[in-house]
């Protein structure tokens, strides 16, 4: 028996308790079970009450107490299954409902199964116990993860989502954060192949209060890589054949991960055929088989090759591709000096720009062929040692120069249009593809140089004779003067060097005097007009004057006659001296004889 006293504190406590009790269904039941009469008596007067206080406290604990299991994992028995829930009895005053999805995608459950569940709340608003299978798994996982963190052991997990700054990983029910910098040793553009698969991780830190777990895949890779690298370096040697993964691609090759160590696969060692860029054959993440072609133990640099695993196509190239035979190939590359044509994988030949067309000269190869075009080529030369094959495209078609000469043999007279006039002659169009050239010296018998060209204009139709042909050099020489008789040449036949001729002045120039000798036009240079300085002035002469001159040269091929008055004057002076010298010698001899006779007499 306790003696209860009336006080303000007791009144407040009772009021608060009373309001709390009547706000809950179970509380109302308890209220009436405890006895409303005792409560009223307690609040209104100071009376002696049996030991109802202890019973009332025990009743509250029985009704509302959780026996300390809230927030813990307990074992429960499935007593009922519905389409969406499993009803589980954990030995408390009421059962709890757990959604079936918390047991997995396709749970195999039956009544009577014992499962571990997490007591989330002792009662919800409906008076039911709130249980969670997912939190139980998570709680169990946290305990295991804490052990792994303390021991440094790796844990298995599955990357299943992306978040800001990284990814989410399922560690057997516990959700962890994987920073983007910790996913691999090197940055990865696409991690799709890494998602959804079980793989090891290293726990970096845990905070159970905040529910944070940070893991790293990179740490695991670095440890594994170091072990694999040491093992690989010990067994590595030149000639070894290994499998690797393409990690990075550059303009000059690709880096291959051999499992702990990287090797360089140069672009020239990828394939026997021409490759402009490694990306044409390789892609990041691709698994390839390579051979170690060089290994430097000092700096641990590894050079790899792929083509070395295949037969060298150049070994029997001379037997397979005969000089003079025609084959079909594909244009793989075009340069300023020609085009490369692939005859088969790994075998390419060069078609020099000069061997691409019979008629199209000084044009870029890209205007004749295009990349990937199939063309017929003739083998011109094979050098297996230097891995070179010279090819020709124009040789696969008839030579238009030879065909034209066959129809128009040497000496034929042709007609054509002047296509161009240059400082050394005229170019005549003989067909759509072929041009012939008339040299300045073959335009006229009488005129030379610019004087001969002045009579012709571009686009003019003319006749000419074929005077020379060189099919290999693709040249056809023409002449206009050959169409007429060479009267000047006939006149030159009557002259020879040293002859003295009469020349009639036909014109005066600043540095020469133009003359004519027997119908042959010639010119006497200023210095050849006289041996005296005063006589070398062309203005001393006028048209119609007749000069005597000596023939200094006769050029029958070009119809040119060389004359010189000066040479004639020197010759005449020399002759005069020769005539005077003998008389002088005779006179001196007679005088000597007379003096000798006189001396004898005096003696």
């Amino acid at each position: 028996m306790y003696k209860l006293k009336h006080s303000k504190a007791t009144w407040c406590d009772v009021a608060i308790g009373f309001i709390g009790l009547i706000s809950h269904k179970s509380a109302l039941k308890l209220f009436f079970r405890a006895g409303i009469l005792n409560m009223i008596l307690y609040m209104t007067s100071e009376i002696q009450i049996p030991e109802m206080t202890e019973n009332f406290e025990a009743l509250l604990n029985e009704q509302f107490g959780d026996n300390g299991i809230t927030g813990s994992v307990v074992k429960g028995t499935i007593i009922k299954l519905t389409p969406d829930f499993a009803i589980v009895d954990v030995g408390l005053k009421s059962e709890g409902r757990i959604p079936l999805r918390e047991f997995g995608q396709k749970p195999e459950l039956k009544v009577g199964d014992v499962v571990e569940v997490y007591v989330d709340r002792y009662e919800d608003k409906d008076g039911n116990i709130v249980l969670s299978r997912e939190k139980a798994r998570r709680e169990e996982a946290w305990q295991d993860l804490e052990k792994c963190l303390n021991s440094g052991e790796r844990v298995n997990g599955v990357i299943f989502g992306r978040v800001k700054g990284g990814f989410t990983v399922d560690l057997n029910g516990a959700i962890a954060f994987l920073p983007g910098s910790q996913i691999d040793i090197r940055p990865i553009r696409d991690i799709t192949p890494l998602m959804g698969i079980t793989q090891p991780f290293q726990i970096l830190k845990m905070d159970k209060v905040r529910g944070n777990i940070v893991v790293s895949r990179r740490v695991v890779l670095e440890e594994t890589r170091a072990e694999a690298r040491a093992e690989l370096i010990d067994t590595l040697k030149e000639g070894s054949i290994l499998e690797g993964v393409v990690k990075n691609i550059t303009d000059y090759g690709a880096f291959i991960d051999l499992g702990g160590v990287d090797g360089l696969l140069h672009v020239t060692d990828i394939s026997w055929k021409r490759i402009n860029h490694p990306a044409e054959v390789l892609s990041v993440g691709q698994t390839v088989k390579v051979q170690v072609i060089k290994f430097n133990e000092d700096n641990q640099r590894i050079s790899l090759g792929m083509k070395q695993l295949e037969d060298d196509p150049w070994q029997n190239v001379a037997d397979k591709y005969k000089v003079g035979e025609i084959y079909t190939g594909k244009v793989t590359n075009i340069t300023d000096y020609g085009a490369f044509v692939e005859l088969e994988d790994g075998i390419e030949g060069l078609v020099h720009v000069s061997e691409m067309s019979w008629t199209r000269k000084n044009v870029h190869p890209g205007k004749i062929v295009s990349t990937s075009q199939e063309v017929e080529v003739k083998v011109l030369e094979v050098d297996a040692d230097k891995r070179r094959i010279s090819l020709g495209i124009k040789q696969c078609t008839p030579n238009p120069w030879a065909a034209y000469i066959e129809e128009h043999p040497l000496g034929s007279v042709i007609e054509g249009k002047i296509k161009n006039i240059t400082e050394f002659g005229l170019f005549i169009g003989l067909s759509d593809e072929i041009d012939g050239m008339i040299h300045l010296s073959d335009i006229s018998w009488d005129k030379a140089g610019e004087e001969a060209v002045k009579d012709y204009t571009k686009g003019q139709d003319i006749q000419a004779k074929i005077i020379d042909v060189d099919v290999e050099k693709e040249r056809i020489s023409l002449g206009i003067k050959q169409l007429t008789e060479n009267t000047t040449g006939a006149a030159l036949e009557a002259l020879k060097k040293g002859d003295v001729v009469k020349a009639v002045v036909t014109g005066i120039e600043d540095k020469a005097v133009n003359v004519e000798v027997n119908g042959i036009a010639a010119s006497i240079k200023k210095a050849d007009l006289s041996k005296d300085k005063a006589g070398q002035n062309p203005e001393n002469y006028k048209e119609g004057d007749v000069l005597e001159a000596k023939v200094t040269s006769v050029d029958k091929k070009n119809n040119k006659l060389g004359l010189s008055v000066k040479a004639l004057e020197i010759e005449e002076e020399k002759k005069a001296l020769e005539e005077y010298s003998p008389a002088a010698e005779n006179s001196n001899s007679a005088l000597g004889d007379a003096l000798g006779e006189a001396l004898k007499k005096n003696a």
Side-chain angles (χ1 to χ4, degrees), residues 457-513:
T457 58
K458 188 175 181 179
Q460 179 181 351
D461 291 322
I462 61 170
Q463 284 188 335
K465 180 181 283 189
I466 299 177
I467 60 175
D468 190 25
V469 174
D470 190 335
V471 175
E472 292 184 359
K473 294 183 179 180
E474 299 174 359
R475 293 177 184 173
I476 296 178
S477 298
L478 306 174
I480 296 176
K481 71 181 185 181
Q482 286 80 1
L483 296 174
T484 60
E485 185 179 354
N486 185 5
T487 56
T488 303
L492 288 174
E493 290 290 342
L495 298 175
K496 63 182 180 296
K497 185 178 180 181
D499 289 348
V500 177
V501 297
K502 292 185 180 296
V504 179
V505 178
T506 58
I508 306 300
E509 296 182 2
D510 292 340
K511 296 182 179 182
V513 174

Side-chain angles (χ1 to χ4, degrees), residues 322-439:
K322 302 290 186 180
V323 174
E325 296 292 329
I326 295 177
Y327 301 91
T328 300
K330 182 172 68 174
V331 178
T332 57
N333 192 27
I334 297 175
T335 66
D336 293 336
Y337 53 86
F340 288 92
V341 176
E342 184 183 59
L343 300 176
E344 64 174 80
D345 284 347
I347 301 294
E348 281 187 343
L350 172 64
V351 182
H352 193 267
V353 63
S354 62
E355 306 295 346
M356 304 190 89
S357 174
W358 292 111
T359 56
R360 299 177 68 180
K361 306 296 181 183
N362 300 321
V363 296
H364 193 274
K367 294 184 178 180
I368 301 176
V369 296
S370 58
T371 305
S372 300
Q373 177 184 349
E374 287 193 354
V375 293
E376 285 191 336
V377 291
K378 178 178 281 190
V379 178
L380 305 180
E381 184 183 357
V382 177
D383 190 337
D385 295 333
K386 294 182 178 180
R387 296 176 177 267
R388 293 178 182 173
I389 298 180
S390 297
L391 305 173
I393 292 178
K394 71 181 183 181
Q395 288 81 358
C396 298
T397 59
N399 187 344
W401 298 89
Y404 186 87
I405 294 305
E406 187 176 348
E407 294 182 9
H408 305 84
L410 192 67
S412 299
V413 177
I414 56 90
E415 290 186 359
K417 192 184 293 293
I418 298 176
K419 295 182 68 174
N420 196 16
I421 300 175
T422 68
E423 58 183 8
F424 49 85
L426 310 175
F427 284 91
I428 311 301
L430 304 179
S431 67
D432 293 339
E433 299 178 330
I434 298 176
D435 292 343
M437 192 192 78
I438 303 174
H439 195 269

Side-chain angles (χ1 to χ4, degrees), residues 246-288:
V246 179
K247 293 191 66 175
N248 190 24
I249 295 177
T250 66
D251 292 337
Y252 54 86
F255 287 95
I256 310 299
D257 184 357
L258 302 175
V261 62
D262 292 348
L264 174 62
L265 175 62
H266 197 269
V267 64
T268 57
D269 291 313
I270 294 177
S271 175
W272 291 110
K273 67 179 182 179
R274 177 184 295 272
I275 295 177
N276 295 321
H277 195 278
E280 297 176 7
V281 180
L282 303 174
S283 59
V284 175
Q286 178 183 351
T287 301
V288 294

Side-chain angles (χ1 to χ4, degrees), residues 50-61:
E51 293 183 355
M52 290 299 295
T53 304
E54 290 88 341
N55 295 335
F56 183 67
E57 182 179 358
L59 190 60
L60 284 174
N61 290 333

Side-chain angles (χ1 to χ4, degrees), residues 109 296 307 364 447:
L109 302 174
N296 190 326
K307 72 179 184 181
H364 193 274
K447 298 178 181 179

